[in-house]
Amino acid sequence: MMINPRIDEVEQIASALGIAEGAHYEDVLAVVRARLDDTEPVAAALTQTPREAAWRRSRTEDDPLNAVVRWCDIEPTGEGALSGRTISVKDSVFVAGVPATCGYSGLEDFVPATHATIVDRILRAGGRIVATTNMDCFGFAASGETSSYGPTQNPNSVSHLAGGSSSGAAAALSYPGVDISVGCDQGGSIRIPAAWCGALGLKPTHGWVPYTGIAGIDQIIDHAGPMARSVADIAVMMDVLVGRDGIDPRQPVHVPDATFAGRVQSPPRNLDGIRIGVLDEGVDLAREHGAAGVIDVVEATCRELESMGAQIQRVSVPEHLTIGVASFICNLEGMASLLRSGGHGYGHLGRYDVEFATQLHAALRDRAEELSPQVKVAWLAGTAMSNTYGGALYAAARNSLTDHIAAYANVFAGVDMLLMPTTPFAPLRTLETPSAAQSLDRGWSMLGNTAPFNATGMPALSMPVGRSDGLPVGVMLVGPKGADAGLLEVAQLYETTVGWDLGPELAVAAPEWER
């Protein structure tokens, strides 16, 4: 495919940019064509042949919750901590030979030629990838109802949603064929479905888990992490996932050695000396929603932790209620930039997937109407914001996050970790045909306590500690950057002492293969 800009296209772009008429477009294009003559970078990249892999779409009999987009069978390439374990990954995580559609039907023809870094690590550690799981379209909602493949049902009540955007990753943990799931989190997408389905979900410190080979939203908020039914499983998966890959620009210079499983195998005998701050603003969000049952679970959890020796105190971070605006601006412009730039952004030193960019461009050109309301709004609003302010609004929002991060740092001078409800209310009921306005409101209404810690990059763990009106309630622990293992140690002692209120294990047959 020769790179050959057409004069009519250039004239249209020039008009939109306000470039004066009469410019010597033909002379300019002649220079461009001469420099690009015989160059076929896109065609050359598309000659990669994806590995063959066993996969098929899920069916009602083996996926009653609509948690799985594709069952697959990717055999391990080594032995290690995950030997004998079955793993699901979100539909935005590239598994070579298996379509990765990001919850969007327009990408159904995209088949990655290479594994995401974390998939390669899972296989090398002995894990078997058995499913790619349902998700909100492009991960830009948290309700679990905006996927092109339909909503994911809650394993505790099929009349309620699983939460999102990693909806299927959490719900599939109720299937006997899935031991551990990997989700992605830009505003709460691991922790919200974990809380609503009755599972554990950890958003690690930003950059500790490489994001190479995963479709993101904005590099400053992209996180990948584990979801499971026990702290031990979260820890062993962290040991496998954490570490630099030398490709992902999100990763800091130093990423710690993975020692999470060892830390939780011998947790402290009590929490003496551990200072836990109950965030007033986080609890107030539940109060504003009239979620008395959620607050009751938070208070009961505090009493349990106190009985284990923790020092519980009330703390306030007023900026917790204002960081959402800056974060939302970054999300909108970040998503719009992602869609404009082939799913990668520009100027980073990581690996680019040319075929994904090509497929995404074609899908947005021909099948944009199939996008969810949230993604359409982000594309339109983010583009308008960029055009109106020329990136200044994004820059101001990004700079303001520095002050918000400092506010949390101040409170961490007096406590080791924060505690609050993961979501300000229990799972939403499923609507048969929600309007666009309902979908928009429902998709973003539960982010108040989770999204701030994507913007700050701090680790956050949702724990399944109780119920309200029969539905799971998650309580979240948040620590300063690097405190991931400390959060897991507290959770391990809680699991050993009190136990979790997990979602049900469903009697679902493993998928049969037609090889």
Side-chain angles (χ1 to χ4, degrees):
M1 180 177 68
M2 189 73 71
I3 297 178
N4 189 12
R6 299 200 322 260
I7 186 67
D8 59 328
E9 293 176 332
V10 173
E11 288 175 343
Q12 290 176 11
I13 294 169
S15 175
L17 293 176
I19 297 176
E21 292 184 16
H24 301 290
Y25 299 132
E26 280 291 3
D27 292 342
V28 172
L29 289 181
V31 174
V32 172
R33 289 173 182 138
R35 290 180 176 272
L36 298 178
D37 191 30
D38 296 327
T39 301
E40 301 182 67
V42 175
L46 295 180
T47 59
Q48 298 181 84
T49 302
R51 306 179 200 178
E52 289 193 9
W55 68 267
R56 69 162 173 80
R57 289 281 285 116
S58 69
R59 301 167 182 160
T60 303
E61 58 267 27
D62 55 44
D63 179 28
L65 301 174
N66 196 31
V68 173
V69 178
R70 293 168 184 86
W71 291 110
C72 57
D73 188 22
I74 313 300
E75 296 182 355
T77 57
E79 296 182 357
L82 294 177
S83 290
R85 313 304 298 280
T86 53
I87 317 297
S88 79
V89 298
K90 194 173 180 176
D91 187 31
S92 56
V93 178
F94 296 177
V95 179
V98 180
T101 55
C102 303
Y104 170 45
S105 52
L107 286 174
E108 57 195 8
D109 293 330
F110 172 60
V111 182
T114 56
H115 292 315
T117 296
I118 61 172
V119 169
D120 185 61
R121 289 180 176 178
I122 289 168
L123 298 176
R124 288 174 182 269
R128 181 180 292 269
I129 306 289
V130 297
T132 59
T133 52
N134 204 4
M135 60 179 282
D136 284 284
C137 183
F138 276 107
F140 212 74
S143 58
E145 66 181 347
T146 71
S147 169
S148 291
Y149 305 106
T152 303
Q153 295 174 318
N154 194 304
N156 301 272
S157 167
V158 294
S159 63
H160 290 78
L161 294 170
S165 64
S166 306
S167 54
L173 291 171
S174 290
Y175 297 164
V178 177
D179 295 327
I180 307 173
S181 294
V182 174
C184 306
D185 192 317
Q186 282 88 10
S189 295
I190 288 172
R191 293 156 289 158
I192 290 167
W196 283 9
C197 290
L200 290 138
L202 174 65
K203 181 196 75 64
T205 292
H206 184 253
W208 277 17
V209 176
Y211 217 79
T212 305
I214 307 174
I217 290 178
D218 189 296
Q219 289 186 25
I220 66 171
I221 58 172
D222 290 336
H223 298 73
M227 306 163 76
R229 296 171 67 88
S230 72
V231 175
D233 282 349
I234 295 283
V236 73
M237 183 58 84
M238 283 288 285
D239 278 343
V240 171
L241 299 182
V242 169
R244 286 182 56 80
D245 71 353
I247 306 173
D248 184 5
R250 299 165 187 79
Q251 294 198 277
V253 173
H254 173 70
V255 175
D257 294 332
T259 57
F260 299 92
R263 292 277 293 270
V264 303
Q265 283 173 358
S266 53
R269 301 177 65 179
N270 55 54
L271 298 181
D272 288 352
I274 299 296
R275 302 163 301 170
I276 299 177
V278 182
L279 186 63
D280 284 339
E281 288 78 9
V283 177
D284 286 345
L285 286 175
R287 189 170 288 110
E288 290 173 11
H289 283 275
V294 171
I295 296 174
D296 289 344
V297 171
V298 170
E299 297 297 339
T301 303
C302 289
R303 290 192 294 272
E304 295 286 4
L305 291 168
E306 198 165 31
S307 71
M308 298 175 206
Q311 300 173 25
I312 305 295
Q313 55 187 286
R314 303 283 169 172
V315 297
S316 176
V317 181
E319 292 84 353
H320 185 74
L321 300 179
T322 60
I323 190 174
V325 175
S327 180
F328 193 52
I329 290 171
C330 293
N331 288 6
L332 289 176
E333 287 210 50
M335 174 57 81
S337 173
L338 178 92
L339 297 176
R340 285 196 305 270
S341 61
H344 301 96
Y346 294 109
H348 71 71
L349 300 178
R351 189 180 77 197
Y352 292 74
D353 192 309
V354 177
E355 185 162 359
F356 180 71
T358 303
Q359 294 279 357
L360 178 60
H361 174 68
L364 296 177
R365 180 192 61 212
D366 301 331
R367 303 175 66 172
E369 198 53 43
E370 297 171 37
L371 293 166
S372 71
Q374 284 83 0
V375 177
K376 290 176 183 175
V377 165
W379 194 5
L380 293 171
T383 300
M385 289 157 59
S386 180
N387 290 346
T388 301
Y389 300 102
L393 188 61
Y394 180 94
R398 184 70 186 95
N399 287 342
S400 76
L401 293 179
T402 302
D403 294 333
H404 288 93
I405 292 170
Y408 289 110
N410 286 337
V411 78
F412 281 128
V415 298
D416 299 297
M417 58 192 67
L418 297 174
L419 182 147
M420 67 203 78
T422 307
T423 63
F425 47 83
L428 291 169
R429 281 193 172 275
T430 304
L431 297 182
E432 192 165 328
T433 54
S435 67
Q438 288 174 316
S439 180
L440 287 167
D441 178 64
R442 286 154 63 88
W444 294 329
S445 59
M446 67 294 288
L447 299 174
N449 282 341
T450 53
F453 303 109
N454 291 84
T456 66
M458 296 166 180
L461 172 70
S462 182
M463 307 180 298
V465 292
R467 296 194 172 230
S468 174
D469 296 327
L471 295 169
V473 171
V475 166
M476 186 167 64
L477 295 178
V478 180
K481 283 187 176 182
D484 308 51
L487 302 182
L488 292 178
E489 284 183 326
V490 171
Q492 180 61 59
L493 184 60
Y494 194 101
E495 179 181 309
T496 303
T497 306
V498 183
W500 303 127
D501 197 333
L502 297 169
E505 295 185 79
L506 304 182
V508 177
E512 296 181 1
W513 291 100
E514 303 86 7
R515 296 184 185 272

